[in-house]
Amino acid sequence: MTEFSEAHEDPFAPHLAALAVLDDRGAVVGWNRRAQELLGHPATAVIGRPAFEVLVDPRDLPDVRAAAASCRRADGWFGVLNVRHRDGQLVEMGLRAHPFARDDRSREWLLAGALAVDVLEWQRDRAVLDGLYRRCPVGLVVHGPDLRLLRVNRAIERFSGVPAAEFRGRPTGCFLVPDDARRAVDRVRQVMETGRPMVYSEQFVRLEWDPAREQVAMVSSFPLEDASGRTLGVAEMIEDITERHRAQRRLALLDQAGSRIGTTLDVAETARELGEVMVPHLADHVSVDLLQPVTRGEEPAQALAGPVVRVGVCSVGAQQPGPPHPQGEPVQFAPDTPQGRCLAEGRAVLEPVLPPDWFSTDGRQGTHAPDLGAHSLIVVPVAARGLVLGVMTLWRSRRPDPFEADDLTLAQELASRAAVSIDNARRFTQQQQTAFALQSSLLPRAVADQSAVEVALRYLPASAAPGLGGDWFDVIPLSGARVALVVGDVVGRGIHAAATMGRLRTAVHTLASLDLEPDEVLSRLDDLVDLLAAEQEASGERPVGEQVIGATCLYAVYDPTSGRCSLARAGHPLPVVTAPDGQAALLDLPAGPPLGLGGLPFEARDVELAEGSLLCLYTNGLIGERHIDADLGLTKLCAALTRPADALERTCQAVVDSLVAATPTDDVALLIARTRMLPPDNVASWRLPLEPTSAAWARALTSAKLSEWGLEHLAFTTELIASELVTNVYRYASGPATLRLIRERSLVCEVSDTSHTSPHLRRARTTDEGGRGLLLVAQMAERWGTRYSREGKTVWTEQPLAGPFA
């Protein structure tokens, strides 16, 4: 008996079977050697004797007689019977009987026998082989040495739709598209040449007459050899794994969607990412339409059916027609369209097969289909938190297979995932708009009127960073025709940074109105930042000891009467000064600490700026972009500022074009000022001794100068103001007084002395002889105030050149 692992030969083959010949009466007339080996009876012991007597146990006679009767009736028989061995043991054998006639027309019977166990093994092998070709669900293909098909089973017939008989003699890979056929031939040739099997290789099976129909098979190939080891061909087991492949692809698509959808907090970009994931893996065309409020960052109302804005479109192939309505334009879906129903009901719509007249229906004719050749449609809601944000429409036109229920489930899952990202982006957009509105309200809307400098401003918010920055700038007119230029940057981002910026900007305005020196302004701001940080710590908004509020600032005061500019900085980048001859360089200023460190001093520096010089103040977003080095950024900035005579707006834009990326990663605040000088004829100054007659001299000098300037209509009020201020110096201050008149947008009258005492208004009693001077000054002037310097103080007034006192 052969080994279990090997294939069994036919046990009834002549060289394996036990053969006996019986005459018509049942006597043995023939006996071969194999029969003697299996049963122990030599030929001499059985020939001529009845088989029933020699070979059959009496207990088995009924079965044997029944088998003999059946054999006579059917002219043949096959079955299993017990046969008696020479030693008396019974041997279970499979027997096959066939009649044959001799020349004398007598009939004899040929019995072929084999051990029953061998017969059963052989029968099982035959059953397995028959099952492989007839009933096995796995395909079987046998290739000959000449790479032609020898045989295929019924499963291949079902898989390909080609009758099995048509495969015989055809070349390997027949009926497949060229690419798939070439891979099939290469695989069979490799197995045949190497003799090594190839297990579980995936093969696309696209038929020539239906190349768009995608089928995938798992193929295992192994060589066929005879007993001598000669290769007879290659057999392949082919399993249809199309559905499994599609399921794996759907899972891969879901995994891919997790990393590709929602990479930004931009509604339109997220919608485009959703479409790009769908095409071409699931659909040929995809459009994403969101309700109009969603695109603006607003929350849509319940069961809102439109209008919608198309924010994402993706199609297979560059030559495909575009969407019927442009992106960004609002449209209204008709109620009877799939999109209209999906929006109104919040339920997905599957149209596996669109009838030929589908597009001819009113309201559908090319309205929302990117390709009138589309034959299958899916519409799913884009919904999050129970709110429908829009719809996603999927079309198939190139792929012949229609959408299935599994495709609908996948589209719903992807749309649901994308909806969360879209809703997050919508919320972020809403917060950003609120924050930008807050920041815009805090930034100066227009430059205040002043004659000291010409200014150009740019504020560029970061396009990619989350939240808002705290960058700001300001141009603040000061007394004496001077102007304060401010640029600052609050640490951090978001609404808190913008709010802190607003508080600091308000504080700067307040401090500027006090006419403090730049270093004193920064010291006061530093105290304010410490106070804000302490308030935040006390409210529990940050861990104790962790400083989260800080800012940098540069404060400059320019005086157009002298051309002197006083500057101080708190951790801020150095300004750039361009001389009238075009030489641009960083202005060396003392390095003050950022605001919020507390207790460290600031130092101001005075510089002379010629008329027509450029003073450029900016935040670190201008030179601190990640794509450029800071030193390179400063070099580019200086290069862009070397033409001081150019229009200031053009120069400002040149700086932006040279240093700011298309999508800046940090907010940028830029202020460029061109200095002006007041004509000497517009300024008059006199030094007056502290004498009782000083007030009279002041009135006379003032009257004469106003007559020279053609401002006689202001002579009375100005004489009174000058007289009262000089009188106050004589009474309450020390040292000589300086009277100065400035003709600018208004008439400025200043009286300076060496005292630091602060004048103040008070209401005099009717019996008081004095105390009414400052009250009169306040009534006569439009504005008045006091500023302090290291040398003393200056009391100033401003009168409009045309007004009620003209």
Side-chain angles (χ1 to χ4, degrees):
M1 189 167 57
T2 57
E3 296 181 5
F4 176 77
S5 60
E6 300 293 336
H8 293 81
E9 293 186 67
D10 184 356
F12 294 109
H15 66 287
L16 294 177
L19 299 178
V21 179
L22 304 182
D23 63 15
D24 202 38
R25 297 190 303 274
V28 180
V29 295
W31 191 259
N32 74 344
R33 180 178 299 177
R34 180 61 177 163
Q36 180 177 339
E37 292 174 354
L38 290 178
L39 299 175
H41 299 285
T44 56
V46 294
I47 290 179
R49 298 178 62 184
F52 289 170
E53 178 183 327
V54 180
L55 302 176
V56 179
D57 186 271
R59 290 170 296 182
D60 295 323
L61 277 176
D63 295 333
V64 173
R65 293 183 187 281
S70 176
C71 181
R72 289 179 181 279
R73 289 194 302 271
D75 282 340
W77 181 83
F78 171 76
V80 177
L81 290 175
N82 288 328
V83 180
R84 188 166 58 186
H85 194 273
R86 182 180 181 182
D87 59 8
Q89 296 292 325
L90 297 179
V91 179
E92 188 177 34
M93 296 186 68
L95 299 173
R96 181 179 290 169
H98 293 286
F100 66 93
R102 289 189 174 276
D103 295 339
D104 58 0
R105 298 184 181 274
S106 62
R107 190 167 67 165
E108 294 183 346
W109 300 86
L110 175 64
L111 294 180
L115 293 176
V117 63
D118 291 341
V119 173
L120 291 176
E121 290 288 350
W122 175 71
Q123 284 183 319
R124 278 194 290 269
D125 288 348
R126 291 297 301 270
V128 169
L129 187 61
D130 181 72
L132 285 175
Y133 280 105
R134 295 181 181 276
R135 284 174 286 277
C136 180
V138 178
L140 175 63
V141 178
V142 180
H143 307 267
D146 58 352
L147 295 181
R148 290 188 174 273
L149 300 175
L150 300 178
R151 189 173 179 183
V152 301
N153 68 350
R154 298 271 178 87
I156 294 295
E157 184 178 86
R158 293 189 296 269
F159 186 64
S160 64
V162 179
E166 293 190 20
F167 283 90
R168 184 165 298 176
R170 295 290 189 95
T172 297
C174 64
F175 307 127
L176 298 180
V177 298
D179 287 345
D180 294 349
R182 183 173 58 255
R183 283 191 287 270
V185 171
D186 292 343
R187 182 179 59 252
V188 174
R189 182 181 286 115
Q190 180 179 348
V191 173
M192 195 169 297
E193 292 175 352
T194 64
R196 292 194 298 268
M198 187 178 294
V199 181
Y200 299 143
S201 61
E202 285 193 6
Q203 166 81 57
F204 281 95
V205 183
R206 292 170 294 182
L207 302 176
E208 283 186 326
W209 57 83
D210 193 8
R213 183 186 175 208
E214 185 181 84
Q215 293 179 284
V216 185
M218 185 73 74
V219 183
S220 294
S221 309
F222 55 93
L224 299 176
E225 299 175 348
D226 60 12
S228 64
R230 180 170 58 93
T231 300
L232 302 177
V234 172
E236 291 188 313
M237 306 296 293
I238 300 176
E239 181 183 1
D240 184 1
I241 61 168
T242 303
E243 289 304 319
R244 186 194 313 169
H245 182 78
R246 289 177 180 173
Q248 291 174 344
R249 191 167 58 187
R250 292 186 181 106
L251 289 175
L253 191 59
L254 286 173
D255 181 66
Q256 184 184 34
S259 60
R260 290 185 58 185
I261 299 177
T263 60
T264 67
L265 287 172
D266 181 82
V267 172
E269 181 63 25
T270 303
R272 284 191 292 271
E273 291 169 347
L274 175 59
E276 290 169 359
V277 167
M278 294 290 189
V279 176
H281 306 292
L282 188 61
D284 296 324
H285 314 276
V286 170
S287 60
V288 180
D289 302 287
L290 298 180
L291 292 167
Q292 199 170 22
V294 175
T295 62
R296 298 193 297 261
E298 303 169 8
E299 185 166 301
Q302 290 280 1
L304 185 64
V308 298
V309 176
R310 179 150 294 178
V311 294
V313 176
C314 191
S315 295
V316 174
Q319 303 301 320
Q320 289 295 330
H325 58 272
Q327 289 183 239
E329 292 189 6
V331 296
Q332 182 73 50
F333 289 120
D336 61 339
T337 61
Q339 293 91 342
R341 298 200 309 271
C342 183
L343 275 176
E345 302 172 8
R347 293 187 297 179
V349 177
L350 171 61
E351 297 282 355
V353 179
L354 300 177
D357 61 344
W358 195 86
F359 291 104
S360 63
T361 306
D362 291 342
R364 294 177 182 169
Q365 191 169 6
T367 304
H368 307 297
D371 186 352
L372 294 183
H375 61 82
S376 191
L377 167 69
I378 283 179
V379 182
V380 295
V382 179
R385 298 184 301 110
L387 291 175
V388 176
L389 308 177
V391 294
M392 177 176 66
T393 308
L394 295 82
W395 305 85
R396 279 187 180 173
S397 58
R398 286 189 171 188
R399 295 175 56 169
D401 50 319
F403 285 118
E404 303 172 349
D406 288 342
D407 297 323
L408 177 63
T409 302
L410 178 60
Q412 287 177 302
E413 176 64 23
L414 291 173
S416 177
R417 293 189 179 191
V420 175
S421 298
I422 289 174
D423 191 50
N424 289 338
R426 178 195 64 77
R427 292 185 179 189
F428 174 76
T429 299
Q430 188 178 39
Q431 291 180 355
Q432 283 290 87
Q433 290 173 347
T434 302
F436 279 128
L438 171 63
Q439 190 178 44
S440 298
S441 66
L442 297 175
L443 288 172
R445 297 181 179 272
V447 178
D449 291 337
Q450 45 80 38
S451 303
V453 292
E454 176 191 359
V455 295
L457 305 169
R458 291 289 188 279
Y459 178 79
L460 305 172
S463 58
L468 295 171
D471 297 22
W472 90 93
F473 48 71
D474 237 325
V475 179
I476 307 172
L478 301 178
S479 63
R482 299 169 306 138
V483 66
L485 306 175
V486 190
V487 171
D489 185 1
V490 175
V491 174
R493 305 193 65 80
I495 293 180
H496 288 294
T500 301
M501 176 268 289
R503 298 173 77 173
L504 293 181
R505 178 171 177 257
T506 301
V508 169
H509 272 263
T510 302
L511 296 172
S513 68
L514 299 177
D515 273 319
L516 300 178
E517 294 292 328
D519 53 344
E520 183 66 19
V521 170
L522 294 183
S523 296
R524 301 288 182 89
L525 282 179
D526 187 54
D527 294 338
L528 174 61
V529 171
D530 283 339
L531 177 61
L532 295 177
E535 289 178 354
Q536 190 181 60
E537 182 176 325
S539 65
E541 295 182 10
R542 69 179 177 93
V544 176
E546 180 182 339
Q547 180 73 15
V548 295
I549 293 183
T552 65
C553 183
L554 192 149
Y555 187 88
V557 175
Y558 174 70
D559 187 348
T561 64
S562 63
R564 188 171 62 181
C565 185
S566 180
L567 307 95
R569 66 186 181 116
H572 204 78
L574 291 170
V576 175
V577 173
T578 304
D581 61 359
Q583 295 295 320
L586 291 174
L587 184 60
D588 186 19
L589 295 180
L595 302 175
L597 296 184
L600 298 176
F602 299 94
E603 185 178 350
R605 180 186 175 191
D606 292 347
V607 296
E608 298 288 338
L609 298 180
E611 185 173 15
S613 299
L614 297 184
L615 178 62
C616 178
L617 312 181
Y618 52 90
T619 55
N620 60 3
L622 184 69
I623 60 171
E625 286 283 351
R626 297 176 183 174
H627 69 285
I628 61 175
D629 180 77
D631 292 337
L632 177 60
L634 289 173
T635 301
K636 288 185 175 182
L637 176 59
C638 291
L641 294 170
T642 55
R643 299 173 63 90
D646 286 356
L648 203 57
E649 284 294 330
R650 186 190 311 163
T651 300
C652 193
Q653 189 59 44
V655 171
V656 171
D657 294 340
S658 177
L659 287 109
V660 181
T663 56
T665 58
D666 192 7
D667 290 14
V668 175
L670 174 64
L671 186 157
I672 302 178
R674 178 184 284 125
T675 61
R676 296 168 175 160
M677 293 287 289
L678 289 181
D681 294 343
N682 285 15
V683 181
S685 180
W686 304 276
R687 196 172 183 85
L688 303 175
L690 287 184
E691 297 177 355
T693 59
S694 295
W697 289 1
R699 287 194 297 271
L701 294 171
T702 300
S703 177
K705 180 54 69 174
L706 293 182
S707 296
E708 180 184 336
W709 286 344
L711 299 177
E712 293 87 351
H713 60 283
L714 295 178
F716 175 76
T717 57
T718 309
E719 287 178 25
L720 178 59
I721 290 172
S723 175
E724 289 297 333
L725 294 181
V726 170
T727 299
N728 276 349
V729 173
Y730 173 74
R731 289 182 176 179
Y732 306 111
S734 60
T738 300
L739 171 64
R740 186 170 71 160
L741 297 178
I742 301 174
R743 183 179 63 174
E744 191 229 359
R745 295 176 180 269
S746 59
L747 178 63
V748 179
C749 178
E750 297 180 343
V751 175
S752 305
D753 60 64
T754 59
S755 171
H756 287 88
T757 58
S758 176
H760 61 278
L761 288 173
R762 66 183 180 89
R763 186 171 297 279
R765 294 187 295 270
T766 56
T767 58
D768 290 344
E769 295 182 1
R772 298 176 178 83
L774 281 181
L775 182 61
L776 291 174
V777 169
Q779 295 295 321
M780 296 294 183
E782 183 179 51
R783 296 174 61 231
W784 78 280
T786 304
R787 67 174 181 269
Y788 296 88
S789 64
R790 295 177 180 85
E791 296 79 18
K793 71 174 183 297
T794 298
V795 181
W796 55 269
T797 65
E798 289 183 1
Q799 302 172 78
L801 294 182
F805 302 103

